[in-house]
Amino acid sequence: MSTIESRLQTVREQMAQMSADSGRLAHPPALLAVSKTFGASAVAQAHAAGQRAFGENYIQEAVDKIAACRALGLADLQWHFIGSLQTNKTRLVAEHFDWMHTLDRLKIAQRLSEQRPTGRAPLQVCVQVNVDASATKAGVSEDQAVGICAQIASLPNLCLRGLMALPDPVLLGETGAVDGPATLALHARVVQLHAHVLAQLPAGSRSMFDTVSLGMSGDMAQAIAAGSTIVRVGSAIFGHRAPRP
Ligand SMILES: *Cc1c(COP(=O)(O)O)cnc(C)c1O
């Protein structure tokens, strides 16, 4: 078994345990494997272990990797964009990705909808929220969330799936020392905001609004306890990332 396969197995077991501990064994979150900075061969190893959903932050790296994975013959891959996106790069996400988690501006959403190739399924999108209004994070405020979600839900080639948030970098120290209770409280606010937005959406958009994208390698336990439906896990699967130049 490769290192990636065995780490993936460990993460799955941890997720199952955390789901059981939180009384949600019947509804565990999905696992998004964050492969940023790792190559197509790492994706292939995770794929061999049954992983299909991959998350990427850097658009050009991602587009090259998607092509390399296709050349390797990897089937059924689902690509999720989870990075920050400049307006002039929206077409690459519209053309190459299945999901976009980090939508925080209507202008980007409009471009993604316009640029989605005809014949492809709608781009599945989450709105990034910043519930503690931290200056270090992107995302819309709690007050803005309902308004932007309602506007995005009306765009023809997007399917609004839910909300996404990052942990507070102060609570989730670089050293790995997580402030568990504070992180849990912050995540719980995102889940509450999801319920609030859901209740305000037009009836036709509610059934697909089922996603809370929350939790990374360091705060998976708190995210699962709070009610995350997709955890985005990178280093616990692929190992330590080299800093980007
Ligand atoms: C890098 C990244 C992750 C994965 O982080 P790890 O700590 O390696 O698990 C998850 N979500 C986003 C938005 C990221 O940028």
Side-chain angles (χ1 to χ4, degrees):
M1 202 192 281
S2 72
T3 309
I4 288 174
E5 257 182 288
S6 68
R7 287 207 199 100
L8 193 50
Q9 193 51 40
T10 302
V11 169
R12 286 176 180 148
E13 285 163 13
Q14 289 170 338
M15 286 174 64
Q17 186 60 53
M18 290 164 182
S19 299
D21 292 346
S22 309
R24 43 179 306 212
L25 207 46
H27 305 281
L31 173 60
L32 179 65
V34 178
S35 44
K36 64 182 175 206
T37 79
F38 295 94
S41 67
V43 173
Q45 287 176 51
H47 181 271
Q51 181 67 28
R52 293 294 179 269
F54 293 88
E56 290 287 334
N57 287 61
Y58 309 110
I59 187 63
Q60 195 54 54
E61 176 197 331
V63 168
D64 294 345
K65 197 178 305 179
I66 291 168
C69 287
R70 192 172 298 127
L72 289 177
L74 301 181
D76 310 326
L77 291 184
Q78 196 185 61
W79 293 99
H80 295 232
F81 191 77
I82 61 170
S84 65
L85 187 65
Q86 292 170 314
T87 315
N88 63 356
K89 298 286 169 59
T90 51
R91 183 177 297 282
L92 292 171
V93 170
E95 290 180 349
H96 295 280
F97 281 81
D98 303 291
W99 282 68
M100 159 79 175
H101 291 226
T102 41
L103 209 44
D104 63 355
R105 277 185 292 155
L106 187 60
K107 170 97 185 146
I108 298 263
Q110 286 165 334
R111 290 176 61 96
L112 288 170
S113 182
E114 282 161 17
Q115 293 167 344
R116 187 68 169 169
T118 45
R120 272 201 78 160
L123 183 67
Q124 311 293 302
V125 300
C126 292
V127 169
Q128 185 174 357
V129 296
N130 183 0
V131 292
D132 55 343
S134 155
T136 58
K137 285 183 293 189
V140 304
S141 69
E142 280 175 318
D143 293 346
Q144 296 168 316
V146 169
I148 190 167
C149 284
Q151 285 173 301
I152 289 172
S154 74
L155 295 172
N157 301 320
L158 304 185
C159 179
L160 178 68
R161 296 300 301 270
L163 303 182
M164 176 270 192
L166 290 172
D168 190 302
V170 178
L171 301 180
L172 190 69
E174 288 283 305
T175 57
V178 186
D179 181 337
T183 297
L184 179 61
L186 200 60
H187 286 344
R189 275 174 71 180
V190 178
V191 174
Q192 279 164 16
L193 181 58
H194 176 271
H196 174 70
V197 173
L198 175 66
Q200 309 292 318
L201 281 178
S205 302
R206 282 183 208 149
S207 68
M208 295 302 283
F209 195 77
D210 57 3
T211 300
V212 184
S213 167
L214 204 57
M216 320 199 317
S217 297
D219 62 337
M220 216 166 62
Q222 293 80 16
I224 292 174
S228 167
T229 69
I230 300 182
V231 291
R232 311 176 306 263
V233 179
S235 47
I237 297 170
F238 295 106
H240 179 70
R241 278 186 297 276
R244 274 171 53 90

